[in-house]
């Protein structure tokens, strides 16, 4: 087990995550990240898939929201880079066109804003996973499971990523009592029915 504190100023991530404590902002952020990844892939050639799959499971005391794509995926070092605050990994920070992210203040804040969760990503046959959660004292922590490992057939089927594809699935456990769950459910239903 390698649980570490997020390599960012804890007060700053706290402020940022509160700003992201809304279903709309979190979903827009995750869909935008997936869409950005597809658009980078498009420049390289035809896509295996262009799907962004949103799932929503209602639970007694909250919900599980997932957003999955079959785009670039992230390597173990890349997934680590996402954890550092607004680092050089951010497309916008590098001044590249096409990225619409918010200076690297997106993915982790979307998760922390709604509760806690984990990111699983497959790239070049390797599976990386990072869990984001908070300590009892409120500290922002992550667990990286020490290293990546070869992705097995059951990982691809569990994640909903086609064999031989790369991709990312973000899981958010929505436990923030300020989040309006019934509204959240109807919003996700509307999005999944009409757009994706
Ligand atoms: N679904 C995804 N597929 C591939 N890479 C991703 C995905 N989501 C995030 N990333 C990578 O993580 C980086 C950080 O994401 P994020 O924290 O949302 O900041 P930003 O979108 O501003 O770059 C992105 O720039 C991208 O390189
Ligand atoms: Mg982003």
């Amino acid at each position: 087990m390698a649980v570490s504190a997020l390599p960012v100023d804890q007060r700053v991530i706290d402020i940022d995550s509160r700003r992201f404590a809304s279903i709309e902002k979190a979903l827009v952020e995750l869909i935008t990240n997936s869409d950005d990844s597809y658009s980078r892939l498009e420049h390289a050639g035809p896509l295996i898939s262009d799907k962004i799959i949103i799932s929503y499971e209602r639970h007694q005391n909250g919900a599980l929201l997932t957003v999955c794509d079959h785009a670039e995926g992230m390597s173990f070092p890349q997934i680590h880079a996402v954890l550092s605050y607004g680092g050089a990994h951010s497309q916008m920070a590098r001044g590249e066109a096409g990225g619409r992210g918010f200076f690297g203040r997106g993915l982790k804040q979307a998760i922390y804003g709604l509760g806690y969760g984990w990111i699983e990503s497959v790239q070049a046959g390797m599976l990386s996973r990072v869990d984001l959660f908070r300590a009892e004292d409120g500290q922002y922590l992550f667990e990286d499971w020490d290293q990546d490992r070869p992705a097995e057939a059951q990982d691809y089927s569990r994640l909903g990523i086609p064999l031989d594809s790369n991709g990312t699935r973000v899981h958010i456990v929505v436990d923030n009592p300020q989040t309006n769950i019934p509204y959240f459910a109807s919003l996700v239903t509307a999005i999944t029915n009409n757009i994706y």
Side-chain angles (χ1 to χ4, degrees), residues 17-37:
S17 297
R18 283 171 204 267
R19 283 171 46 194
F20 264 80
S22 108
I23 302 304
E24 296 97 317
K25 286 182 186 163
L27 274 174
V28 166
E29 179 57 37
L30 299 179
I31 292 169
T32 303
N33 280 349
S34 295
D35 196 56
D36 281 346
S37 183

Side-chain angles (χ1 to χ4, degrees), residues 29 33-34 37 69 72 74 82 89-90 101-104 106-107 168:
E29 179 57 37
N33 280 349
S34 295
S37 183
D69 65 55
E72 301 165 298
M74 286 180 275
V82 174
H89 59 274
S90 168
F102 188 50
F103 293 103
L107 179 49
T168 302

